[in-house]
């Protein structure tokens, strides 16, 4: 393999403040935080609150930067302080931070902030458990594109905070030949050869990965050559008699 596995995603940096601000603004508007009728009806406008964020279950905390951007998007005057950092393993009951300022702004933004914090922390924690299970055998835990629509940057960021690696960020970052491509192209070898021609013609610096389901497909891929990685997916062995051995 003379090309990186996925140059863009494996070296991906955390999202920028610009990206996080855009995500925060979009999701706050989705929740209608500007017209929180419950808070408007029950809490005096000048009320100041001190909200504590408390861990309810042992695990990795992830998404603090985004939570901070959510609160600051709701009200730049809010003071947000943390007692920990993204990627730390924390125990239930730990106070991870405080948000101080307008009660109206805090109440209007809290659910959006907590949704991000809970989702990202859950993904990071699950990833860390898999990374620990893999141990020191040289295996890397990779994610997929099966992310929540609109939340790919946060889902994949959470994987990295949990110690995993990103596979591909989108359809443009890797040639990944899957079973449907193979079926349409006329076989594993034909799909690989077509991919090699396309990559060279377009001058693309992307990896080629091929999905295989049987040892026959693995052997066909190896005979074609030129790709960067084989993906063993739902691996079965189909014999010449048509019987399937898992």
């Amino acid at each position: 393999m003379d090309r990186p596995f996925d140059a863009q995603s494996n070296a991906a940096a955390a999202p920028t403040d610009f990206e996080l601000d855009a995500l925060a603004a979009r999701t706050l508007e989705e929740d209608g935080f500007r017209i929180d009728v419950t808070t408007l009806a029950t809490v005096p406008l000048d009320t100041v609150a001190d909200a504590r964020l408390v861990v309810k279950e042992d695990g990795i905390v992830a998404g603090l930067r985004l939570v901070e951007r959510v609160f600051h998007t709701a009200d730049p005057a809010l003071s947000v302080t943390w007692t920990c950092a993204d990627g730390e393993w924390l125990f239930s009951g730990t106070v991870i931070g405080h948000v101080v300022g307008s009660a109206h702004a805090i109440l209007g933004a809290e659910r959006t902030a907590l949704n991000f914090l809970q989702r990202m922390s859950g993904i990071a924690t699950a990833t860390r458990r898999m990374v620990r299970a893999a141990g020191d055998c040289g295996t890397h835990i990779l994610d997929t594109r099966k992310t929540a629509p609109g939340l790919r940057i946060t889902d994949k960021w959470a994987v990295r905070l949990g110690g995993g690696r990103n596979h591909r960020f989108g359809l443009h970052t890797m040639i990944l030949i899957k079973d449907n491509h193979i079926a349409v192209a006329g076989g594993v070898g034909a799909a690989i050869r077509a991919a090699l021609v396309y990559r060279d013609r377009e001058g693309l610096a992307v990896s080629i990965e091929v999905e295989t389901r049987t040892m026959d497909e693995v052997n066909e891929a190896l005979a074609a050559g030129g790709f960067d990685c084989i993906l063993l997916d739902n691996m079965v062995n189909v014999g010449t008699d048509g019987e399937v051995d898992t």
Side-chain angles (χ1 to χ4, degrees):
M1 295 186 187
D2 58 356
R3 291 179 174 83
F5 181 67
D6 186 350
Q8 178 173 339
S9 59
N10 280 348
T16 65
D17 282 345
F18 177 83
E19 291 174 311
L20 297 184
D21 285 343
L23 182 58
R26 186 177 77 245
T27 51
L28 282 170
E29 291 294 343
E30 175 186 65
D31 204 31
F33 83 105
R34 298 181 188 278
I35 310 175
D36 177 3
V37 293
T38 308
T39 300
L40 289 168
T42 60
V43 179
L45 189 59
D46 59 353
T47 303
V48 175
D50 181 349
R52 296 185 308 154
L53 287 87
V54 183
V55 175
K56 295 292 185 68
E57 187 176 333
D58 297 356
I60 296 291
V61 63
L64 299 183
R65 277 186 58 224
L66 177 52
V67 168
E68 187 168 336
R69 302 316 304 168
V70 168
F71 282 118
H72 283 161
T73 299
D75 182 355
L78 291 177
S79 171
V80 183
T81 58
W82 305 112
T83 64
C84 58
D86 274 329
E88 287 190 34
W89 183 278
L90 301 176
F91 296 100
S92 178
T94 302
V95 177
I96 64 173
H98 288 261
V99 184
V100 180
S102 166
H104 275 244
I106 293 173
L107 291 169
E110 66 167 340
R111 176 43 54 197
T112 297
L114 290 176
N115 284 348
F116 281 127
L117 188 61
Q118 290 168 333
R119 180 179 178 83
M120 288 187 62
S121 295
I123 292 171
T125 300
T127 302
R128 180 62 59 87
R129 291 191 177 118
M130 287 184 273
V131 168
R132 287 176 173 172
D136 298 324
C137 62
T139 299
H140 299 295
I141 302 300
L142 300 174
D143 59 20
T144 71
R145 285 169 46 245
K146 296 174 183 177
T147 55
L151 297 180
R152 183 162 298 177
I153 63 170
T154 57
D155 284 358
K156 285 184 170 287
W157 181 20
V159 167
R160 297 197 299 277
L161 289 172
R165 293 190 180 189
N166 297 145
H167 190 211
R168 58 173 178 163
F169 263 77
L171 295 170
H172 61 294
T173 59
M174 177 191 293
I175 296 176
L176 176 49
I177 304 170
K178 299 174 69 67
D179 53 354
N180 289 334
H181 302 106
I182 291 168
V184 175
V188 174
I192 291 173
R193 288 188 290 273
L196 289 168
V197 169
Y198 177 81
R199 184 175 67 179
D200 289 344
R201 185 180 72 235
E202 300 298 324
L204 299 178
V206 297
S207 301
I208 297 176
E209 182 174 325
V210 57
E211 177 182 283
T212 57
R213 297 162 296 175
T214 67
M215 284 307 301
D216 286 343
E217 289 186 344
V218 170
N219 291 330
E220 187 178 350
L222 293 174
F227 58 90
D228 300 284
C229 186
I230 288 182
L231 171 63
L232 307 179
D233 186 66
N234 299 319
M235 198 68 182
V236 296
N237 188 25
V238 181
T240 55
D241 57 2
E243 293 188 1
V244 177
D245 298 321
T246 58

